[in-house]
Amino acid sequence: MFFPTVNTGETTSKMPSISKTKASLSTRRMVLALTMMLVGCILFSVCIGALPISLPELWRMILFKVGLVSNENYEEQKALVFWIIRLPRVCLAVLVGAGLGMAGASLQGLFRNPIADATLIGVTSGASLFAVFVIMLNLKYIGIVNELGGAYTISLVSFVGAALTTMLVYQLSKITGEGGVTTMLLCGIAINAFVGSITGLMTYMATDEQLRSITFWNLGSLGGASWTSVMAVAPFVLCSVICMPYLSKALNLLVLGDGQASALGVNMIVLKRQVVVLATMGVGASVAVAGTIGFVGLVVPHIIRTTFGPDHKSLLIGSALGGAIVLTLADTVARTIVAPSELPIGILTALLGTPFFLYILWDQKRKKI
């Protein structure tokens, strides 16, 4: 994949090497701290539940699985719960959270808008529309669709819907204007409204059973996690998470404005296309398997930006790790707070994210006074 080159001339060459060293050291410390927090959250999540698993038991399960010990010194039921139910669910939460967090940070940098997220380019609305389309028309029972998608027909079609809607927004931004980020933002708002109206019309026409399925899908959940869904999401999210940090220098220069960034060597067309494609891959795959999960891509970048600064290299990596931490903890609370039932994770992230986001805005305004 070609990444836009940034030529800053003598200004970059004269930058003190000590500043670069300090920035690199700060990023490494941030990554180490967030990684340790994520590992702790993962251990907490896989151990807690209706059938608790202690850390020694968890350690013995892993050692036996990799062949380092020969005796099964643990309950077989706990091993089945860990390997088949909890571990794939936690892995999916980490992947989805990382994809949502990094996409939110990159799109906020691209649009130079602190409240931008994937909904602005049609990813969420497109996925929702195609998911409703599958539920309404019962496509999962149609022969060829069932053979291609199987139990994951809704996920497959939702991802296609997210990609097609984003492509439509991108193409319209080039037809109706100069193709800048402002034009794409306006096209995204228009397409979101249009797609949302179609989704609302189909929801109005749905039967009680279909309406229940649509509602639960839109609320978001990781309850259907399996190793198959993890393997299906992993390539898209990992591609986004690995490739996006290479765009950090260009996104840093974009803060100066399109004209200044272009003068410093940033290819705006290539940069916009790559950010949109990578964000769509991560968010589209996440929404396809987990439904609509709000506020992760909006709040997490704000937390990382406030804590570690606005540099996009640390912001993108930190948002991916922070999103994984937030969603892992949120899913743990969602499946335990009303046990044996399960609270949709989209409700929980919205309930917790809204007041926290308002607090961030209030705190920023207070600091400026």
Side-chain angles (χ1 to χ4, degrees), residues 212-268:
R212 183 178 178 84
S213 299
I214 292 170
T215 301
F216 275 98
W217 192 90
N218 282 322
L219 291 177
S221 175
L222 298 175
S226 65
W227 287 117
T228 303
S229 59
V230 171
M231 296 303 295
V233 171
F236 298 99
V237 174
L238 290 178
C239 181
S240 176
V241 169
I242 292 172
C243 295
M244 195 76 82
Y246 287 98
L247 306 177
S248 59
K249 291 183 179 179
L251 289 173
N252 283 338
L253 293 176
L254 195 58
V255 177
L256 303 174
D258 293 358
Q260 290 291 335
S262 298
L264 292 172
V266 177
N267 189 327
M268 290 300 302

Coordinates of all heavy atoms in Angstrom, one line a residue, residues 212-268:
R212 N -38.1 -7.2 16.6 CA -37.3 -7.6 17.7 C -35.8 -7.9 17.3 O -34.9 -7.4 17.9 CB -37.9 -8.8 18.4 CG -37.1 -9.3 19.7 CD -37.8 -10.4 20.3 NE -37.1 -10.9 21.5 CZ -37.3 -10.4 22.7 NH1 -38.1 -9.4 22.9 NH2 -36.6 -10.9 23.7
S213 N -35.7 -8.6 16.2 CA -34.3 -8.9 15.7 C -33.6 -7.6 15.3 O -32.4 -7.5 15.5 CB -34.5 -9.9 14.5 OG -35.1 -11.1 14.8
I214 N -34.3 -6.7 14.6 CA -33.7 -5.5 14.2 C -33.2 -4.6 15.4 O -32.1 -4.1 15.4 CB -34.7 -4.6 13.3 CG1 -34.9 -5.4 12.0 CG2 -34.2 -3.2 13.0 CD1 -36.1 -4.8 11.2
T215 N -34.1 -4.6 16.4 CA -33.8 -3.8 17.6 C -32.6 -4.3 18.3 O -31.7 -3.5 18.6 CB -35.0 -3.8 18.5 OG1 -36.1 -3.2 17.9 CG2 -34.7 -2.9 19.8
F216 N -32.5 -5.6 18.5 CA -31.4 -6.2 19.2 C -30.1 -6.1 18.4 O -29.0 -5.9 19.0 CB -31.6 -7.7 19.6 CG -32.4 -7.8 20.8 CD1 -33.8 -8.0 20.8 CD2 -31.7 -7.8 22.0 CE1 -34.5 -8.2 22.0 CE2 -32.4 -7.9 23.2 CZ -33.8 -8.1 23.2
W217 N -30.2 -6.2 17.1 CA -29.0 -6.0 16.2 C -28.4 -4.6 16.4 O -27.2 -4.4 16.5 CB -29.3 -6.3 14.8 CG -28.0 -6.4 14.0 CD1 -27.3 -7.6 13.7 CD2 -27.3 -5.4 13.3 NE1 -26.2 -7.3 12.9 CE2 -26.2 -5.9 12.7 CE3 -27.6 -4.0 13.1 CZ2 -25.3 -5.2 11.9 CZ3 -26.7 -3.3 12.4 CH2 -25.5 -3.9 11.8
N218 N -29.3 -3.6 16.3 CA -28.9 -2.2 16.4 C -28.4 -1.8 17.8 O -27.6 -0.8 17.9 CB -30.1 -1.3 16.0 CG -30.3 -1.2 14.5 OD1 -29.4 -1.2 13.8 ND2 -31.6 -1.2 14.1
L219 N -28.8 -2.6 18.8 CA -28.3 -2.3 20.2 C -26.9 -2.7 20.4 O -26.2 -2.3 21.3 CB -29.2 -2.9 21.2 CG -30.6 -2.3 21.3 CD1 -31.4 -3.1 22.4 CD2 -30.5 -0.8 21.7
G220 N -26.4 -3.7 19.6 CA -25.0 -4.1 19.7 C -24.8 -5.2 20.7 O -25.4 -5.1 21.8
S221 N -24.1 -6.2 20.4 CA -23.8 -7.3 21.3 C -22.6 -8.1 20.8 O -22.4 -8.3 19.6 CB -25.0 -8.2 21.5 OG -24.7 -9.3 22.4
L222 N -21.9 -8.7 21.8 CA -20.8 -9.6 21.4 C -21.2 -11.1 21.9 O -20.3 -11.9 21.9 CB -19.5 -9.2 22.2 CG -18.9 -7.9 21.8 CD1 -17.7 -7.5 22.6 CD2 -18.5 -7.8 20.3
G223 N -22.5 -11.2 22.1 CA -23.0 -12.5 22.6 C -22.8 -13.7 21.6 O -22.7 -14.8 22.0
G224 N -22.7 -13.4 20.3 CA -22.6 -14.4 19.3 C -21.1 -14.7 18.9 O -20.9 -15.3 17.9
A225 N -20.2 -14.3 19.8 CA -18.8 -14.4 19.5 C -18.4 -15.9 19.4 O -18.8 -16.7 20.1 CB -17.9 -13.7 20.5
S226 N -17.6 -16.2 18.4 CA -17.0 -17.5 18.2 C -15.6 -17.4 17.5 O -15.3 -16.3 17.1 CB -17.9 -18.4 17.4 OG -18.0 -17.9 16.0
W227 N -14.9 -18.5 17.5 CA -13.6 -18.4 16.8 C -13.7 -18.1 15.3 O -12.9 -17.4 14.7 CB -12.8 -19.6 17.0 CG -12.3 -19.8 18.4 CD1 -12.6 -20.8 19.3 CD2 -11.3 -18.9 19.1 NE1 -11.9 -20.6 20.5 CE2 -11.1 -19.5 20.4 CE3 -10.6 -17.8 18.7 CZ2 -10.3 -18.9 21.3 CZ3 -9.8 -17.2 19.6 CH2 -9.6 -17.7 20.9
T228 N -14.9 -18.5 14.7 CA -15.1 -18.2 13.3 C -15.3 -16.7 13.1 O -14.7 -16.1 12.2 CB -16.4 -18.9 12.8 OG1 -16.2 -20.3 13.0 CG2 -16.6 -18.6 11.3
S229 N -16.1 -16.0 14.0 CA -16.3 -14.6 13.8 C -15.0 -13.8 14.1 O -14.7 -12.8 13.5 CB -17.4 -14.1 14.8 OG -17.1 -14.4 16.1
V230 N -14.2 -14.3 15.1 CA -12.9 -13.7 15.4 C -12.0 -13.7 14.2 O -11.4 -12.7 13.8 CB -12.3 -14.3 16.6 CG1 -10.8 -13.8 16.8 CG2 -13.1 -14.1 17.9
M231 N -11.9 -14.9 13.6 CA -11.0 -15.0 12.4 C -11.5 -14.2 11.2 O -10.8 -13.8 10.3 CB -10.9 -16.5 12.0 CG -10.2 -17.4 13.1 SD -8.6 -16.8 13.5 CE -7.7 -17.0 12.0
A232 N -12.8 -14.0 11.1 CA -13.4 -13.3 10.0 C -13.1 -11.8 10.2 O -12.9 -11.1 9.2 CB -14.9 -13.5 9.9
V233 N -13.1 -11.3 11.4 CA -12.9 -9.9 11.7 C -11.4 -9.5 11.7 O -11.0 -8.4 11.3 CB -13.6 -9.5 13.0 CG1 -13.2 -8.1 13.4 CG2 -15.1 -9.6 12.9
A234 N -10.6 -10.4 12.2 CA -9.2 -10.1 12.5 C -8.4 -9.5 11.3 O -7.7 -8.5 11.4 CB -8.5 -11.4 13.0
P235 N -8.5 -10.1 10.0 CA -7.7 -9.5 8.9 C -8.1 -8.1 8.6 O -7.1 -7.3 8.4 CB -8.1 -10.4 7.8 CG -8.6 -11.7 8.4 CD -9.3 -11.3 9.6
F236 N -9.3 -7.7 8.7 CA -9.7 -6.3 8.4 C -9.3 -5.4 9.5 O -8.7 -4.3 9.2 CB -11.2 -6.3 8.2 CG -11.8 -7.1 7.1 CD1 -12.3 -8.4 7.3 CD2 -11.7 -6.6 5.8 CE1 -12.8 -9.1 6.3 CE2 -12.2 -7.4 4.7 CZ -12.7 -8.7 5.0
V237 N -9.5 -5.7 10.7 CA -9.1 -4.8 11.8 C -7.6 -4.7 11.9 O -7.1 -3.6 12.1 CB -9.7 -5.3 13.1 CG1 -9.2 -4.5 14.3 CG2 -11.3 -5.3 13.1
L238 N -6.9 -5.8 11.8 CA -5.5 -5.8 11.9 C -4.8 -5.0 10.8 O -3.8 -4.3 11.0 CB -4.9 -7.2 12.0 CG -5.2 -8.0 13.2 CD1 -4.7 -9.5 13.1 CD2 -4.7 -7.4 14.5
C239 N -5.4 -5.1 9.6 CA -4.9 -4.3 8.5 C -5.0 -2.8 8.8 O -4.1 -2.0 8.6 CB -5.6 -4.7 7.2 SG -5.1 -3.8 5.7
S240 N -6.2 -2.4 9.3 CA -6.4 -1.0 9.7 C -5.5 -0.6 10.8 O -4.9 0.5 10.7 CB -7.9 -0.9 10.1 OG -8.1 0.4 10.5
V241 N -5.4 -1.4 11.8 CA -4.6 -1.0 13.0 C -3.1 -1.0 12.7 O -2.3 -0.1 13.2 CB -4.8 -2.0 14.2 CG1 -3.8 -1.8 15.3 CG2 -6.2 -1.9 14.7
I242 N -2.6 -1.8 11.8 CA -1.2 -1.9 11.4 C -0.8 -0.7 10.5 O 0.2 -0.1 10.6 CB -0.8 -3.2 10.9 CG1 -0.9 -4.3 11.9 CG2 0.6 -3.2 10.3 CD1 -0.7 -5.7 11.4
C243 N -1.7 -0.5 9.5 CA -1.4 0.5 8.4 C -1.6 1.9 8.8 O -0.9 2.8 8.3 CB -2.1 0.1 7.2 SG -1.7 -1.5 6.4
M244 N -2.7 2.2 9.6 CA -3.1 3.5 9.9 C -2.0 4.4 10.6 O -1.8 5.6 10.2 CB -4.3 3.5 10.8 CG -5.0 4.9 10.8 SD -5.9 5.2 9.4 CE -7.4 4.3 9.7
P245 N -1.1 3.9 11.5 CA -0.1 4.7 12.1 C 0.9 5.3 11.1 O 1.6 6.3 11.4 CB 0.6 3.8 13.1 CG -0.5 2.8 13.5 CD -1.3 2.6 12.2
Y246 N 1.1 4.6 9.9 CA 2.0 5.2 8.9 C 1.5 6.5 8.3 O 2.2 7.2 7.7 CB 2.1 4.1 7.8 CG 3.0 2.9 8.2 CD1 2.4 1.7 8.6 CD2 4.4 3.0 8.1 CE1 3.1 0.6 8.9 CE2 5.1 1.9 8.5 CZ 4.5 0.7 8.9 OH 5.3 -0.4 9.2
L247 N 0.2 6.8 8.6 CA -0.3 8.1 8.1 C -0.3 9.2 9.1 O -0.8 10.3 8.9 CB -1.8 7.9 7.7 CG -2.1 6.7 6.7 CD1 -3.6 6.6 6.4 CD2 -1.4 7.0 5.4
S248 N 0.4 8.9 10.3 CA 0.3 9.9 11.4 C 1.0 11.2 11.0 O 0.5 12.3 11.4 CB 1.0 9.2 12.6 OG 2.3 8.9 12.3
K249 N 2.1 11.2 10.3 CA 2.8 12.4 10.0 C 2.0 13.3 9.1 O 1.9 14.5 9.2 CB 4.2 12.1 9.3 CG 5.2 11.5 10.2 CD 6.5 11.2 9.4 CE 7.6 10.6 10.4 NZ 8.9 10.4 9.6
A250 N 1.3 12.6 8.1 CA 0.4 13.4 7.2 C -0.7 14.0 8.0 O -1.2 15.1 7.7 CB -0.1 12.5 6.1
L251 N -1.3 13.2 8.9 CA -2.4 13.7 9.7 C -2.0 14.9 10.6 O -2.8 15.8 10.9 CB -3.0 12.6 10.5 CG -3.8 11.5 9.7 CD1 -4.2 10.4 10.6 CD2 -5.1 12.2 9.0
N252 N -0.8 14.8 11.1 CA -0.2 15.9 11.9 C -0.2 17.2 11.1 O -0.5 18.3 11.6 CB 1.1 15.5 12.5 CG 1.1 14.6 13.6 OD1 0.0 14.5 14.3 ND2 2.2 13.9 13.9
L253 N 0.3 17.1 9.9 CA 0.4 18.3 9.0 C -0.9 18.8 8.6 O -1.1 20.0 8.3 CB 1.3 17.9 7.8 CG 2.8 17.7 8.1 CD1 3.5 17.3 6.8 CD2 3.5 18.9 8.7
L254 N -1.9 17.9 8.6 CA -3.2 18.3 8.1 C -3.9 19.3 9.1 O -4.8 20.0 8.7 CB -4.1 17.1 8.0 CG -5.4 17.2 7.2 CD1 -5.2 17.7 5.8 CD2 -6.2 15.9 7.2
V255 N -3.4 19.3 10.3 CA -3.9 20.3 11.3 C -3.7 21.7 10.8 O -4.5 22.7 11.1 CB -3.2 20.1 12.6 CG1 -3.7 21.1 13.6 CG2 -3.5 18.7 13.2
L256 N -2.6 22.0 10.0 CA -2.3 23.3 9.5 C -3.3 23.7 8.4 O -3.3 24.9 8.0 CB -0.9 23.3 8.9 CG 0.2 22.9 9.8 CD1 1.5 22.8 9.1 CD2 0.3 23.9 11.0
G257 N -4.1 22.8 7.8 CA -5.0 23.1 6.8 C -4.6 22.4 5.5 O -3.5 21.9 5.3
D258 N -5.6 22.2 4.6 CA -5.3 21.5 3.3 C -4.2 22.1 2.5 O -3.3 21.4 2.0 CB -6.6 21.4 2.5 CG -7.7 20.5 3.2 OD1 -7.4 20.0 4.3 OD2 -8.8 20.4 2.6
G259 N -4.3 23.4 2.4 CA -3.3 24.1 1.6 C -1.9 24.0 2.1 O -0.9 23.7 1.4
Q260 N -1.7 24.2 3.4 CA -0.4 24.1 4.0 C 0.1 22.6 4.0 O 1.3 22.4 3.7 CB -0.4 24.6 5.5 CG -0.6 26.1 5.7 CD 0.6 26.8 5.2 OE1 1.7 26.3 5.2 NE2 0.4 28.1 4.8
A261 N -0.8 21.7 4.2 CA -0.3 20.3 4.2 C 0.1 19.9 2.8 O 1.1 19.2 2.6 CB -1.5 19.4 4.6
S262 N -0.6 20.3 1.8 CA -0.2 20.0 0.4 C 1.1 20.7 0.1 O 1.9 20.1 -0.6 CB -1.3 20.6 -0.6 OG -2.5 19.9 -0.3
A263 N 1.3 21.9 0.5 CA 2.6 22.6 0.3 C 3.8 21.9 0.9 O 4.9 21.9 0.5 CB 2.5 24.0 0.8
L264 N 3.5 21.2 2.0 CA 4.5 20.4 2.7 C 4.7 19.0 2.2 O 5.5 18.2 2.8 CB 4.2 20.4 4.2 CG 4.4 21.8 5.0 CD1 3.9 21.7 6.4 CD2 5.8 22.2 4.9
G265 N 4.0 18.6 1.2 CA 4.2 17.4 0.5 C 3.2 16.3 0.7 O 3.4 15.1 0.4
V266 N 2.0 16.6 1.4 CA 1.0 15.7 1.6 C 0.1 15.6 0.4 O -0.5 16.6 0.0 CB 0.2 16.0 2.9 CG1 -1.0 15.0 3.1 CG2 1.1 16.1 4.1
N267 N -0.1 14.4 -0.1 CA -1.0 14.2 -1.2 C -2.4 14.0 -0.6 O -2.7 12.9 -0.1 CB -0.6 12.9 -2.0 CG -1.4 12.7 -3.3 OD1 -2.6 13.1 -3.3 ND2 -0.8 12.2 -4.3
M268 N -3.2 15.0 -0.7 CA -4.5 15.0 0.0 C -5.4 14.0 -0.5 O -6.2 13.4 0.2 CB -5.1 16.4 -0.1 CG -4.4 17.5 0.7 SD -4.4 17.1 2.5 CE -6.2 17.0 2.8

